[in-house]
Amino acid sequence: LRGGETRVGVERMFGLMDRFLKSDPSSLQKDILDHVEYTVARSRFSFDDFEAYQALAHSVRDRLIERWHDTQLHFKKKDPKRIYFLSMEFLMGRSLSNSAINLGIRDQYADALKELGFEFEVLAEQEGDAALGNGGLARLSACQMDSLATMDYPAWGYGLRYQYGLFRQVILDGYQHEQPDYWLNFGNPWEIERVHVTYPVKFYGTVEDENFNGGKRKVWLPGETVEAVAYDNPIPGHGTRNTITLRLWAAKPSDQIDMESYNTGDYINAVVNRQRAETISSVLYPDDRSYQGKELRLKQQYFFVSASLQDIIRRFKDSHSNFDDFPEKVALQLNDTHPSFAIAEVMRVLVDEEHLDWNRAWDIVCKIFSFTTHTVLPEGLEKVPVDLLESLLPRHLQIIYDINFDYIEELKKRIGLDYDRLSRMSIVEDGAIKSIRMANLAIVCSHTVNGVSRVHSELLKTRVFKDFYELWPHKFDYKTNGVTQRRWIVVSNPSLSALISKWLGTEAWIRDVDLLAGLQEQAANADLHEEWRMVRKVNKMRLAEYIEAMSGVKVSVSAMFDVQIKRIHEYKRQLLNVLGIIHRYDCIKNMEKSDRTKVVPRVCIIGGKAAPGYEIARKIIKLCNAVAEKINNDPDVGDLLKLVFIPDYNVSVAELVIPGADLSQHISTAGHEASGTGSMKFLMNGCLLLATEDGSTVEIMEEIGKDNMFLFGAKMHEVPALREKGPTLKVPLQFARVVRYVM
Ligand code: F58
């Protein structure tokens, strides 16, 4: 796709040489003003920042659409094997800067806007975050989409278009309060509603036996149908015309009318019932360690899986008639267990609808799925109660039972009648609540099982999925997580981006991150150090302003900014960080005045959301705010120590905080963080890491050298003995009361 290959083909095909939109400043200005007038419906002589943002976004979107169409045409013609990335969560954040930069026309837009009296950055701030995800897993999905586009892959992302994204966090009296994130309130110029790309998704009902070809076959008679409508989000690559699609599904009432209710005159109730369908895609579940028994969550999973597969199969059938070719054209990546019903759904479609025999369908299924897991904890693995599945998806339950039957028979041949192991490895868990182990289903049917760091993969092999590893060692692999430098340097730290390009003498690192290593040659260059220091200083000033605006705390930019931003979790140990801050405060208080000059002034910054039902995490937030209140109001300590809790941590806040950080903390208890990706974002912004040997930090340590980071804490093999020993920490008296009160 690079070098305009697609464009040339398309131009020749349609003779559309002059059709494409121009991107010189005056064409852009005309374009923006036209959108002000005709899209936003405001006078071109009077519009505010938000309206200017809307017009600008539509103008960028027009250019995205051109490339997007070219890409679709190109791939339709070439018919390559496509990657389908199925994920319940995508944390895209804002789109304007990212899109304009990837299209290579950000500066042209900035110039065009300047003459109109607007600043590009100011307009970019008008955009709200698309927060359709919880944390690392969801942001990884977003980074992956950017990289797939940039690397010219024919990829599609599939997910859910939640009307309410992750809750907004408001801090009142130090406590977290959750507010709904109705992010579509002001419209979303980055999506295109596809009113004609809709599929029926069915639930409930019964399964009947039907005569077929002299034998019997199963027929599912569903009890409810909901319509899935596609919303397409074009994702542009950088330095290529490849623009891929993130297709998110929204639930709409089906066109099929419940005639009975209408005929019995219960018109109002019939309409209200139809409206209920929309609840399926209405709200993102906030991170919860257990969704057991949550029917809506299950409905969401199947809803997006069923719609996505209908779409994928339709695309395949457009140019193929034999399903044996399916694995040559389709790769399905399961982002954690959440989309695992896709396995049973493909079997159902192939066997019940396409009438393939079971073994042929199974053979196909085993070639198309790959599974990535993002957790370390066995208790984090999803289980679905059989009762619930039986009522919601009766045919799928039968299929899962059948898969399990064949698999256990096969397993007996391989491992003998070791009933303990057979029972551990079974897809069906017999217990007080009989359930389906989604991870087991995913492993059995996938040809690769990916961990997200080397350590994580080792844990999968030796603990979490040990039985499976011993059976199928070839399936287990890992791809250590990464982040896109386009979002985490170019978009969020433009001055550093310019500095890097200047010193490397090229912008090629924006597509190929390995080229950053070229800076090593300049490692001792004092001019580079000075320029970098200036960049950091300006970013710190920007962050200091934000901190003051959000929390009223004035911080000194000459202090060290020590940052821990991530979801609040016991294993991530924000609590340990706060205890460390209390200790630091205590030391300063007890120090001789003359010794205080040796203390490096420090601003500790903590940010993150707690799952609404996670009491301890909520209390950690309260503790943090209570300690901040005490320290920040102690004039005796002044600028030597400050603590700030940044509310409503999200992608945009991260983009602001990371470039201004001097030190960042990644101090999870060793053996608990599957990978961690925040560390990579800080690192590529030149920030020092204070980290435990956990997840991807082990590989980071090998890459940058132990001497270039602050390693901290117990190693994985030391943790069990420490747990056994119990706590040894002493909290200074003056805080013991605060900690006891809050915790
Ligand atoms: C995270 N998982 C891991 N899960 O904790 C982190 O180590 C890793 O770097 C990252 O995935 C990417 O691989 C994570 O974010 C979730 O948010 C789940 C979403 C669904 C509900 C339960 C939490």
Side-chain angles (χ1 to χ4, degrees):
L1 276 173
R2 219 161 293 145
E5 184 197 330
T6 323
R7 168 63 70 82
V8 173
V10 175
E11 279 160 359
R12 223 179 284 126
M13 216 183 310
F14 298 107
L16 293 174
M17 216 62 151
D18 296 327
R19 192 203 69 176
F20 298 106
L21 293 167
K22 304 208 166 27
S23 294
D24 57 282
S26 77
S27 306
L28 294 179
Q29 270 172 6
K30 178 177 179 317
D31 230 41
I32 293 168
L33 292 175
D34 282 352
H35 275 298
V36 166
E37 187 127 19
Y38 306 121
T39 309
V40 185
R42 294 289 296 169
S43 154
R44 56 175 69 214
F45 302 108
S46 158
F47 53 98
D48 63 18
D49 282 352
F50 181 67
E51 288 150 357
Y53 154 70
Q54 286 179 303
L56 172 61
H58 275 96
S59 163
V60 174
R61 169 182 133 142
D62 290 344
R63 285 156 179 80
L64 280 177
I65 289 174
E66 283 184 345
R67 291 161 200 243
W68 189 41
H69 285 154
D70 290 359
T71 305
Q72 300 309 323
L73 266 168
H74 175 81
F75 285 133
K76 201 171 164 77
K77 211 167 91 199
K78 288 230 159 174
D79 190 29
K81 181 172 185 173
R82 290 174 171 93
I83 300 165
Y84 295 110
F85 182 72
L86 307 185
S87 179
M88 286 278 277
E89 302 190 3
F90 290 88
L91 259 181
M92 304 302 285
R94 291 174 174 153
S95 286
L96 175 64
S97 297
N98 198 244
S99 300
I101 287 172
N102 278 8
L103 294 177
I105 47 177
R106 186 223 167 266
D107 292 346
Q108 289 90 317
Y109 269 116
D111 292 345
L113 284 164
K114 212 166 257 152
E115 284 180 32
L116 295 175
F118 292 93
E119 288 278 334
F120 186 93
E121 285 94 6
V122 174
L123 300 194
E125 302 258 310
Q126 297 291 317
E127 185 178 353
D129 271 34
L132 306 185
N134 273 286
L137 169 152
R139 182 55 226 177
L140 184 78
S141 308
C143 282
Q144 266 168 350
M145 291 303 291
D146 178 88
S147 295
L148 286 165
T150 300
M151 295 171 80
D152 287 339
Y153 281 104
W156 288 69
Y158 279 103
L160 272 168
R161 180 181 179 269
Y162 303 104
Q163 279 181 295
Y164 293 87
L166 187 61
F167 65 86
R168 296 233 169 93
Q169 180 192 55
V170 176
I171 304 295
L172 291 175
D173 193 23
Y175 290 101
Q176 167 177 299
H177 291 255
E178 298 88 32
Q179 288 184 354
D181 168 49
Y182 192 67
W183 69 295
L184 297 165
N185 237 347
F186 297 100
N188 175 15
W190 305 107
E191 66 182 9
I192 295 137
E193 183 182 6
R194 293 283 186 216
V195 284
H196 296 299
V197 184
T198 68
Y199 297 98
V201 178
K202 309 193 167 164
F203 298 101
Y204 305 108
T206 53
V207 180
E208 314 271 315
D209 281 321
E210 192 184 78
N211 294 326
F212 180 70
N213 273 353
K216 293 265 184 224
R217 73 167 186 204
K218 302 281 182 201
V219 180
W220 178 24
L221 305 171
E224 181 184 276
T225 303
V226 174
E227 212 65 24
V229 183
Y231 285 77
D232 287 347
N233 301 254
I235 312 287
H238 189 285
T240 167
R241 299 189 63 79
N242 193 30
T243 301
I244 61 175
T245 312
L246 170 59
R247 180 161 277 183
L248 302 177
W249 301 104
K252 293 274 152 75
S254 157
D255 282 344
Q256 290 168 20
I257 288 168
D258 172 6
M259 283 313 287
E260 203 176 318
S261 314
Y262 284 91
N263 290 340
T264 53
D266 197 2
Y267 168 72
I268 296 292
N269 261 330
V271 174
V272 169
N273 281 341
R274 278 164 50 80
Q275 241 22 69
R276 268 218 301 267
E278 294 186 8
T279 55
I280 293 182
S281 58
S282 67
V283 56
L284 165 80
Y285 273 93
D287 178 1
D288 193 332
R289 278 163 301 170
S290 150
Y291 298 109
Q292 248 103 88
K294 301 253 163 65
E295 190 188 44
L296 181 58
R297 167 95 183 165
L298 220 61
K299 270 186 131 172
Q300 292 185 332
Q301 293 186 345
Y302 178 67
F303 173 77
F304 108 86
V305 154
S306 165
S308 308
L309 285 170
Q310 290 182 66
D311 201 40
I312 291 164
I313 291 170
R314 193 248 327 129
R315 189 168 304 116
F316 172 78
K317 284 169 91 175
D318 275 352
S319 42
H320 300 270
S321 51
N322 185 348
F323 272 98
D324 292 333
D325 298 336
F326 203 57
E328 302 303 315
K329 296 293 165 193
V330 171
L332 291 161
Q333 186 72 37
L334 303 172
N335 198 28
D336 219 292
T337 51
H338 321 143
S340 298
F341 284 122
I343 293 162
E345 176 66 357
V346 174
M347 281 304 282
R348 188 190 68 78
V349 172
L350 293 184
V351 173
D352 294 3
E353 291 180 5
E354 301 291 340
H355 309 304
L356 268 64
D357 81 56
W358 177 273
N359 290 334
R360 193 170 150 215
W362 179 243
D363 198 44
I364 293 170
V365 162
C366 291
K367 289 180 184 149
I368 55 178
F369 284 103
S370 296
F371 165 50
T372 302
T373 167
H374 298 264
T375 189
V376 173
L377 309 170
E379 59 269 30
L381 301 174
E382 265 189 317
K383 289 182 204 162
V384 175
V386 161
D387 282 357
L388 196 58
L389 198 53
E390 190 160 28
S391 126
L392 189 69
L393 298 168
R395 179 64 185 131
H396 295 79
L397 180 63
Q398 287 180 348
I399 288 171
I400 292 172
Y401 276 151
D402 288 348
I403 292 175
N404 197 45
F405 180 83
D406 291 353
Y407 150 67
I408 294 286
E409 287 308 301
E410 203 44 49
L411 200 54
K412 284 182 192 161
K413 288 188 208 146
R414 294 277 303 268
I415 67 168
L417 299 180
D418 177 347
Y419 285 108
D420 277 350
R421 187 164 173 208
L422 286 170
S423 133
R424 284 197 305 269
M425 294 180 76
S426 172
I427 296 170
V428 182
E429 181 177 81
D430 277 316
I433 302 174
K434 195 171 177 179
S435 18
I436 302 302
R437 295 170 174 143
M438 299 301 274
N440 292 20
L441 176 66
I443 296 173
V444 168
C445 306
S446 296
H447 60 87
T448 58
V449 178
N450 289 290
V452 287
S453 71
R454 195 178 69 216
V455 172
H456 180 221
S457 181
E458 285 310 310
L459 284 170
L460 296 180
K461 292 187 211 168
T462 54
R463 290 192 209 163
V464 193
F465 301 136
K466 182 169 184 283
D467 290 317
F468 292 98
Y469 175 65
E470 284 165 6
L471 184 69
W472 296 309
H474 59 277
K475 283 196 187 190
F476 285 76
D477 196 358
Y478 71 95
K479 301 275 174 286
T480 301
N481 283 166
V483 300
T484 160
Q485 71 273 31
R486 290 164 289 281
R487 168 74 59 158
W488 296 107
I489 304 179
V490 186
V491 171
S492 63
N493 198 347
S495 342
L496 180 62
S497 178
L499 177 148
I500 294 173
S501 297
K502 176 186 147 189
W503 283 86
L504 282 178
T506 169
E507 289 191 343
W509 63 274
I510 297 174
R511 286 177 52 86
D512 180 358
V513 81
D514 290 339
L515 298 179
L516 284 178
L519 284 178
Q520 265 172 2
E521 286 169 25
Q522 311 284 350
N525 190 313
D527 292 341
L528 170 61
H529 295 179
E530 192 43 38
E531 282 179 34
W532 199 310
R533 221 173 272 129
M534 277 312 294
V535 167
R536 170 74 51 80
K537 182 127 193 213
V538 172
N539 288 329
K540 285 176 79 169
M541 283 158 62
R542 193 173 62 149
L543 176 53
E545 270 172 32
Y546 184 77
I547 289 174
E548 190 174 354
M550 297 312 287
S551 62
V553 180
K554 261 193 175 2
V555 297
S556 154
V557 287
S558 18
M560 179 201 286
F561 283 13
D562 166 351
V563 178
Q564 190 182 23
I565 41 171
K566 45 186 85 224
R567 289 300 290 255
I568 310 289
H569 226 290
E570 285 158 279
Y571 85 79
K572 294 183 190 278
R573 297 202 291 192
Q574 285 91 352
L575 179 57
L576 182 63
N577 186 4
V578 177
L579 293 175
I581 294 166
I582 294 173
H583 174 68
R584 183 175 300 276
Y585 177 73
D586 197 48
C587 290
I588 296 173
K589 292 296 280 182
N590 293 323
M591 223 175 242
E592 293 294 328
K593 286 268 188 284
S594 56
D595 285 342
R596 288 192 180 182
T597 51
K598 296 181 201 140
V599 175
V600 176
R602 193 182 288 236
V603 178
C604 299
I605 298 165
I606 298 180
K609 293 178 181 173
Y614 190 175
E615 266 317 304
I616 295 188
R618 302 178 75 99
K619 285 182 169 171
I620 291 171
I621 293 177
K622 171 64 185 169
L623 175 66
C624 190
N625 283 303
V627 173
E629 178 81 16
K630 168 95 182 155
I631 294 177
N632 299 343
N633 292 310
D634 185 343
D636 179 41
V637 169
D639 278 347
L640 286 186
L641 188 62
K642 290 271 183 267
L643 170 57
V644 185
F645 185 87
I646 297 204
D648 202 33
Y649 174 60
N650 60 17
V651 175
S652 296
V653 172
E655 286 173 32
L656 182 80
V657 173
I658 293 171
D662 296 302
L663 177 72
S664 70
Q665 301 207 24
H666 311 276
I667 56 173
S668 51
T669 310
H672 284 66
E673 191 71 270
S675 166
T677 44
S679 51
M680 303 168 191
K681 298 165 195 166
F682 282 101
L683 195 63
M684 55 171 57
N685 279 273
C687 175
L688 289 166
L689 306 184
L690 170 61
T692 44
E693 280 187 40
D694 198 19
S696 62
T697 46
V698 178
E699 288 156 80
I700 290 178
M701 177 185 84
E702 290 168 3
E703 193 66 28
I704 69 174
K706 269 185 186 184
D707 295 344
N708 288 317
M709 64 196 289
F710 300 101
L711 277 171
F712 161 82
K715 311 241 186 309
M716 211 158 76
H717 65 271
E718 296 165 344
V719 171
L722 273 173
R723 273 198 199 289
E724 193 89 331
K725 222 165 99 192
T728 52
L729 196 77
K730 281 208 185 86
V731 178
L733 252 187
Q734 72 208 81
F735 275 102
R737 228 161 11 102
V738 182
V739 176
R740 235 191 341 266
Y741 161 70
V742 175
M743 303 305 288

